[in-house]
Amino acid sequence: MSAEVRNPGLGIASVFIPCEVLRDYFFPVPLVDDRASRPTLYDVLRMSQNVSPAELRVAYKLRDLELTSSGAARTEHVALERAFDILAQPELRACYNSLLADPEAPAVFPYGGFGSLLVAGERSRDGPTFFARRILGFLPDRRQRHLHVPLRRCDFYDDSALCRDVRRKLEFWLDPAALHTVWNSTWNQWKHLAGAKIEVDATFVQSGKYRKRRGEWELVTWETALPSRLRVTLPKDFQQRVDEARQTYHRIGQYSRSLDQVRLALGHRAIERADLQKMCSDLHIPGDFDVVQISWGP
């Protein structure tokens, strides 16, 4: 890959970093019969490759406590945190698993590579390009943020959830151990009815990808939370709101045919709230059904 230099004080405009250089620094892959001297990231966390995201976080916390109680060197804490930040991000974990299967597979720069980079190598003959042979150090651009994110901004999968805030241009991944609750993909059906917000305290790094738009490659940037620096706090009534939202969704489904008739009527003329409530009563929809909660979208 080629990295752009923001402050070309040495007359260097870009740094070319081969995939094997990225692999050796960010994604340690043991060579044949070299597992003892160069453990995998899973070995650092003392977990197997098929571990779930929640199990991965629990393993990270337990291992961090072990290192703290034993007075381990800071380098061990840094290695543990780096291993977790790679494996807890689905895209980076998929990249690492590919490298474990084939060390010659392409490697990506974690989180887009925004930050300060120190490399060793040689300069091109014409001057503006530097060919990196080894990464000596990398420090990403970081920013601490404290915010509240509505539950409806999260896309729930079976073992993880991706939360995006388009206005703030940031995202972060959650697992059941981070959210302190268990979910499944059915939460996507009624999450907009919950009205709950989760409190997030995290360290975000700038990230980005090139996407092709109108025939041209465009850099799209946002911020991504580091999994190791993510703290989530739920409101005291979170479980109550979840239960009420799930119940409301099932009630809407129970009276879906009647609601279709209401929707059809609203599509032809405006109806006062009192008339709408009477229409719902005629269709045998219970009186305690809050018509304001109905989404009239398809």
Side-chain angles (χ1 to χ4, degrees), residues 15-91:
V15 178
F16 180 79
I17 309 174
C19 284
E20 58 268 22
V21 174
L22 291 174
R23 177 199 63 199
D24 293 342
Y25 185 79
F26 294 106
F27 309 98
V29 177
L31 303 177
V32 180
D33 300 329
D34 190 32
R35 194 178 184 91
S37 60
R38 194 176 192 187
T40 68
L41 298 181
Y42 292 103
D43 293 334
V44 173
L45 288 156
R46 298 183 177 179
M47 297 298 289
S48 62
Q49 190 170 338
N50 59 353
V51 63
S52 70
E55 293 171 331
L56 197 68
R57 181 173 293 276
V58 173
Y60 165 70
K61 290 183 177 180
L62 290 176
R63 184 60 184 146
D64 186 58
L65 288 174
E66 291 176 357
L67 294 177
T68 302
S69 61
S70 64
R74 183 179 180 276
T75 54
E76 294 191 54
H77 286 276
V78 172
L80 177 66
E81 186 173 320
R82 177 183 293 180
F84 181 63
D85 283 338
I86 293 292
L87 297 180
Q89 214 279 352
E91 180 183 6

Side-chain angles (χ1 to χ4, degrees), residues 204-228:
F204 286 82
V205 295
Q206 189 175 1
S207 56
K209 291 181 181 178
Y210 279 95
R211 297 178 180 175
K212 199 169 186 178
R213 293 183 177 179
R214 301 182 181 90
E216 295 184 359
W217 289 99
E218 177 183 349
L219 178 62
V220 181
T221 61
W222 64 92
E223 292 181 70
T224 303
L226 292 174
S228 62

Side-chain angles (χ1 to χ4, degrees), residues 19 25 60 95 105 110 145 150 181 197 201 211 220 224 234 294:
C19 284
Y25 185 79
Y60 165 70
C95 174
R145 304 194 65 162
T181 189
K197 290 185 177 182
D201 188 8
R211 297 178 180 175
V220 181
T224 303
L234 301 178
I294 299 173

Side-chain angles (χ1 to χ4, degrees), residues 106-219:
V108 299
F109 205 121
Y111 304 102
F114 292 91
S116 300
L117 179 68
L118 180 63
V119 296
E122 57 271 352
R123 195 168 183 169
S124 63
R125 292 182 178 180
D126 56 358
T129 303
F130 189 87
F131 293 93
R133 304 305 178 195
R134 181 187 174 194
I135 296 178
L136 302 177
F138 174 70
L139 182 64
D141 295 335
R142 299 183 179 185
R143 179 162 63 150
Q144 192 69 23
R145 304 194 65 162
H146 182 87
L147 59 148
H148 293 79
V149 180
L151 190 67
R152 66 177 183 274
R153 300 278 174 83
C154 300
D155 294 325
F156 293 95
Y157 306 97
D158 289 336
D159 58 0
S160 60
L162 176 61
C163 300
R164 284 193 179 99
D165 190 320
V166 178
R167 181 176 61 85
R168 296 187 178 103
K169 297 186 68 176
L170 56 84
E171 68 177 21
F172 56 90
W173 283 91
L174 288 175
D175 56 74
L179 196 58
H180 315 296
T181 189
V182 180
W183 67 74
N184 55 51
S185 56
T186 62
W187 279 39
N188 295 313
Q189 300 172 349
W190 49 261
K191 62 185 180 182
H192 58 285
L193 299 172
K197 290 185 177 182
I198 58 177
E199 184 178 354
V200 178
D201 188 8
T203 300
F204 286 82
V205 295
Q206 189 175 1
S207 56
K209 291 181 181 178
Y210 279 95
R211 297 178 180 175
K212 199 169 186 178
R213 293 183 177 179
R214 301 182 181 90
E216 295 184 359
W217 289 99
E218 177 183 349
L219 178 62

